Amino acid sequence: MAELRPLIDRLESQQMLSKKEFVTLLTGISAEDTKYLREKARRAARKHFGNRIYTRGLIEFTNYCRNDCYYCGIRRSNTRACRYRLSKEAILDCCKAGYALGFRTFVLQGGEDAKYSDDLMVDLIKEIKKSYPDCALTLSIGEKSYESYLKFYKAGADRYLLRHETANKAHYSMLHPPELKAENRKRCLFELKEIGYQVGAGFMVGAPYQTAEDIAEDLLFLKELSPHMIGIGPFIPHHQTPFADRAPGTMKQTLLVLGILRLMFPKVLLPATTALGTIHPLGREKGILSGANVLMPNLSPTTVRKKYELYDNKICTGDEAAECRSCLARRMQEIGYELAVDRGDYKP
Ligand code: SAM
Ligand code: FES
């Protein structure tokens, strides 16, 4: 049955549908129409990016976090998490190794760790940008004030990743403790954009309590925000969180949402995430074949990899950065793509 093709064609031509139509697509699509949609998404990515996949070297520099998100393995209340933070020297070593391997974007990601004060972050950002002026620097360190975001931007940070997690207020409150608010998360995103960052938002597919309506609202919110990057991956439970017994998000649904996003935002930077590679051995390849165009392999030292455990069974925690890059290069080659040595900026 190919009954949703007119809707998919309209999504492609108008890059938008109504909330009700998105729900129809998310709940009623046949296997055949999913294939049709993913092929269109793949062609759209090919048109804008060719067969080149951008890479970002992810440096998970601290797993201390003041927040207590119910889904997250490094949440404050997980007293069994083994905490670490990397020194400036260790972070610069990661960049050095990454640069030699061909990375031209570094992503500093961590929990919301008060030990990394604004001054320390500014110093770190300046040092990285001085040492690697041809590289882009992305921050992913959570909710901060406008002033802090501005300081980091002035110090040289180029991009900021902050998934909005869910656009629906009621759903947000089911995933987070009361002190965390959907409005604040959204405020941060609009401020980051106003300051001039290339901004990434996103959410987990299959998060507990998520409905098709919630995902449709996420799509509408993303259209309103119009980010440069969109990070989506399946929710995967972590055994030491309140959501330990919840079902993970599925690959099928994640690939469908990736395809929809590519048709909504033909030029957006869209990663095939590590979480997608965790729920299926070929998850990242299938993500690329559904319209994704970015991979974010890990550059963190192998000694800390397992400690940045957001969810169970995370892949690539034992491999050196070089092994990860060559493994991904091989995987991409097998499906007709290649890793670019490029900053991979958003091109309007
Ligand atoms: N602290 C920063 C922040 O809040 O944006 C960055 C780190 S946070 C761990 C990065 C992302 O990991 C979150 O935005 C969330 O979507 C994702 N994440 C956390 N727990 C997860 C889980 N159990 N399954 C899949 N993704 C998860
Ligand atoms: Fe802070 Fe997950 S709760 S990074």
Side-chain angles (χ1 to χ4, degrees), residues 85-325:
R85 51 175 75 87
L86 297 181
S87 65
K88 180 173 150 187
E89 291 66 36
I91 296 170
L92 287 166
D93 282 348
C94 295
C95 296
K96 190 174 173 191
Y99 191 88
L101 290 170
F103 290 99
R104 295 296 178 266
T105 290
F106 302 118
V107 182
L108 288 180
Q109 190 182 84
E112 293 195 17
D113 179 358
K115 270 271 165 62
Y116 266 101
S117 63
D118 283 4
D119 287 348
L120 278 181
M121 284 311 300
V122 164
D123 179 56
L124 182 59
I125 294 162
K126 284 187 175 161
E127 189 76 33
I128 293 176
K129 289 297 286 192
K130 193 177 82 191
S131 310
Y132 304 97
D134 55 334
C135 291
L137 182 58
T138 306
L139 301 180
S140 178
I141 51 174
E143 297 173 30
K144 306 270 175 189
S145 67
Y146 183 91
E147 292 69 34
S148 300
Y149 287 148
L150 188 61
K151 274 191 232 169
F152 303 154
Y153 187 73
K154 285 188 173 161
D158 305 277
R159 308 183 188 140
Y160 206 102
L161 297 180
L162 185 80
R163 289 185 174 182
H164 67 282
E165 309 298 358
T166 170
N168 183 286
K169 240 168 116 166
H171 186 220
Y172 198 92
S173 70
M174 296 176 202
L175 303 178
H176 302 93
E179 66 273 16
L180 294 174
K181 303 270 186 238
E183 302 88 80
N184 195 49
R185 199 92 183 160
K186 290 181 183 171
R187 171 197 61 81
C188 289
L189 283 163
F190 285 106
E191 289 184 355
L192 287 161
K193 249 195 119 177
E194 189 191 312
I195 290 171
Y197 285 95
Q198 289 177 46
V199 171
F203 58 94
M204 293 178 290
V205 176
Y209 309 108
Q210 184 184 59
T211 63
E213 281 76 13
D214 291 331
I215 299 184
E217 281 182 40
D218 288 324
L219 299 176
L220 264 42
F221 169 72
L222 287 169
K223 205 62 179 183
E224 183 196 341
L225 176 70
S226 186
H228 309 88
M229 310 169 273
I230 300 176
I232 63 145
F235 159 74
I236 305 176
H238 183 286
H239 62 289
Q240 287 155 354
T241 64
F243 292 154
D245 298 326
R246 295 281 171 166
T250 64
M251 180 164 78
K252 192 171 149 212
Q253 188 80 339
T254 308
L255 296 178
L256 174 61
V257 177
L258 277 174
I260 293 175
L261 286 169
R262 174 56 71 210
L263 295 180
M264 288 176 72
F265 304 95
K267 296 179 179 176
V268 84
L269 298 161
L270 191 63
T273 58
T274 304
L276 185 55
T278 298
I279 57 164
H280 189 282
L282 293 177
R284 286 169 299 178
E285 285 87 336
K286 287 174 188 285
I288 297 295
L289 296 174
S290 303
N293 72 315
V294 173
L295 290 168
M296 298 175 66
N298 206 317
L299 277 186
S300 314
T302 41
T303 47
V304 303
R305 294 258 185 111
K306 279 201 169 58
K307 298 178 186 162
Y308 198 84
E309 194 191 43
L310 309 180
Y311 46 80
D312 291 339
N313 305 316
K314 192 173 153 196
I315 53 167
C316 308
T317 54
D319 303 334
E320 293 291 342
E323 292 169 57
C324 277
R325 187 156 176 121

Side-chain angles (χ1 to χ4, degrees), residues 36-105:
Y36 181 74
L37 186 149
R38 287 179 59 205
E39 264 166 27
K40 274 191 184 297
R42 174 159 77 225
R43 275 204 298 277
R46 277 271 184 176
K47 179 172 163 207
H48 294 291
F49 306 102
N51 73 337
R52 298 171 78 236
I53 301 297
Y54 295 140
T55 58
R56 283 73 169 93
L58 184 64
I59 304 171
E60 300 158 334
F61 71 106
T62 172
N63 72 350
Y64 282 87
C65 190
R66 64 175 176 155
N67 290 336
D68 220 9
C69 307
Y70 301 150
Y71 45 83
C72 183
I74 60 170
R75 62 198 296 267
R76 180 183 70 217
S77 293
N78 184 5
T79 51
R80 280 149 74 196
C82 180
R83 304 287 169 176
Y84 74 90
R85 51 175 75 87
L86 297 181
S87 65
K88 180 173 150 187
E89 291 66 36
I91 296 170
L92 287 166
D93 282 348
C94 295
C95 296
K96 190 174 173 191
Y99 191 88
L101 290 170
F103 290 99
R104 295 296 178 266
T105 290

